[in-house]
């Protein structure tokens, strides 16, 4: 924890929440965008600092890292806030079994095969798993996610599955021209929402990171996922 300071983490969170609030007002958002703390490489003791600032959502990228940290997270309900842990990284089908009990939402569902395994295990564990479909909105080779044009048909296949609840979409857009890509995501999201597909509530649009979160708010993001902006630039320590 040497390189982390509780004061700066708190100040970063307050600043970001303030900026989100202003942006929501400016752009007339119906619902206030929620801030998720992305925890990769951050020690659990440091991650726990975020709860006192009202953050409710943690984002996990790696199965192995999460399993090592989860028992140290302060996830008990506190002051009426129930923390949730969402899986946001690439998830291999054979790893679903390790996280099925401890994760509240899987945001990175990008294939029928992965969804079928989540559905199977959720039913076996007596739960319904909330999921988002990850969309590769920039069509980048290097990124996971389904092609925008395949998204509706995938959601129509997932919606009837009883072990999963399709709550919306997630994306990591290309690093430049985010207006274009967030705009396209908003369009796709609203198009699917307007179809009123039974079993697909479409209330979550997860997009925006440290460098582009205010732009994401402008296009209707309901969850921004921020790591560097809260904890600092860990890779260069
Ligand atoms: C790391 C990560 C983030 C946060 O990125 P920052 O630039 O550190 O804010 C958000 N979403 C996903 C999927 C990530 O892997």
């Amino acid at each position: 924890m040497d390189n982390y300071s509780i004061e700066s983490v708190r100040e970063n969170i307050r600043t970001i929440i303030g900026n989100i609030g202003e942006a929501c007002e400016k752009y007339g958002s119906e619902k206030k965008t929620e801030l998720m703390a992305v925890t990769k490489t951050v020690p659990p003791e440091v991650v726990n600092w975020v709860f006192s600032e009202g953050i409710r959502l943690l984002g996990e990228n790696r199965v192995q890292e999460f399993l090592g940290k989860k028992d140290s997270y302060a996830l008990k309900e506190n002051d009426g806030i129930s923390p949730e842990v969402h899986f946001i990284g690439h998830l291999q089908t054979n790893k679903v079994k390790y996280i099925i009990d401890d994760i509240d939402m899987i945001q990175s569902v990008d294939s029928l095969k992965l969804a079928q395994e989540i559905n199977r295990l959720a039913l076996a564990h007596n739960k319904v798993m909330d999921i988002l479909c990850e969309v590769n909105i920039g069509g980048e080779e290097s990124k996971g996610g389904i092609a925008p044009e395949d998204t509706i048909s995938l959601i129509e296949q997932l919606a009837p599955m009883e072990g999963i609840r399709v709550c919306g979409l997630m994306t990591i857009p290309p690093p430049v021209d985010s207006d274009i890509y967030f705009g396209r995501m908003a369009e796709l999201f609203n198009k699917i929402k307007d179809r009123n597909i039974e079993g697909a509530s479409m209330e979550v649009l997860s997009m925006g990171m440290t460098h582009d979160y205010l732009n994401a708010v402008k296009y209707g993001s309901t969850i921004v996922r921020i790591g560097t902006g809260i904890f600092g630039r860990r890779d260069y320590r």
Side-chain angles (χ1 to χ4, degrees):
M1 295 201 302
D2 295 349
N3 290 310
Y4 295 92
S5 123
I6 191 163
E7 288 79 17
S8 63
V9 166
R10 285 185 172 158
E11 191 182 314
N12 290 342
I13 293 171
R14 286 175 199 174
T15 304
I16 295 166
I17 289 179
N19 292 343
I20 291 173
E22 278 176 26
C24 284
E25 225 164 87
K26 181 168 157 194
Y27 301 120
S29 312
E30 281 167 41
K31 208 172 94 184
K32 198 172 165 220
T33 311
E34 192 161 356
L35 173 58
M36 162 181 281
V38 175
T39 70
K40 56 183 177 256
T41 75
V42 181
E45 300 78 8
V46 173
V47 172
N48 286 337
W49 294 343
V50 309
F51 297 122
S52 63
E53 294 304 310
I55 288 190
R56 188 178 69 91
L57 303 177
L58 300 184
E60 296 294 316
N61 282 77
R62 302 181 188 107
V63 171
Q64 222 45 44
E65 184 180 335
F66 169 62
L67 296 177
K69 284 156 72 172
K70 71 181 175 67
D71 292 335
S72 308
Y73 285 157
L75 297 174
K76 287 227 175 62
E77 181 174 332
N78 201 342
D79 282 339
I81 295 176
S82 315
E84 283 185 15
V85 186
H86 294 192
F87 197 82
I88 62 173
H90 178 68
L91 182 58
Q92 287 172 270
T93 305
N94 62 2
K95 299 252 172 86
V96 177
K97 57 179 177 284
Y98 301 118
I99 65 166
I100 192 79
D101 285 323
D102 297 305
I103 288 285
D104 298 289
M105 179 185 279
I106 299 175
Q107 295 202 355
S108 44
V109 174
D110 61 357
S111 72
L112 179 60
K113 189 172 138 234
L114 175 60
Q116 283 168 331
E117 177 66 354
I118 297 169
N119 181 53
R120 185 184 74 79
L121 285 164
L123 290 173
H125 290 236
N126 284 313
K127 73 183 274 182
V128 180
M129 179 64 86
D130 287 340
I131 65 146
L132 303 182
C133 287
E134 180 175 352
V135 179
N136 187 350
I137 196 68
E140 297 168 286
E141 289 274 337
S142 60
K143 280 189 186 141
I146 29 176
E149 61 272 23
D150 297 335
T151 307
I152 294 181
S153 71
L154 181 66
I155 288 179
E156 283 171 345
Q157 287 175 285
L158 308 192
M161 295 184 184
E162 292 186 344
I164 63 184
R165 191 181 296 120
V166 184
C167 301
L169 304 179
M170 182 270 241
T171 196
I172 308 168
V176 292
D177 296 329
S178 70
D179 272 284
I180 295 175
Y181 298 107
F182 288 147
R184 286 187 193 160
M185 279 301 291
E187 211 174 288
L188 180 62
F189 181 74
N190 289 324
K191 187 168 149 191
I192 299 172
K193 199 173 182 169
D194 288 345
R195 290 200 173 204
N196 288 317
I197 301 167
E198 201 180 325
S201 65
M202 303 307 287
E203 58 218 6
V204 180
L205 179 55
S206 170
M207 59 186 193
M209 316 201 300
T210 299
H211 67 284
D212 57 12
Y213 71 97
L214 291 177
N215 228 358
V217 172
K218 178 171 157 189
Y219 288 95
S221 169
T222 67
I223 298 177
V224 292
R225 310 176 310 264
I226 298 190
T228 312
I230 293 177
F231 299 109
R233 208 177 289 281
R234 288 94 80 190
D235 304 341
Y236 302 108
R237 282 174 191 286

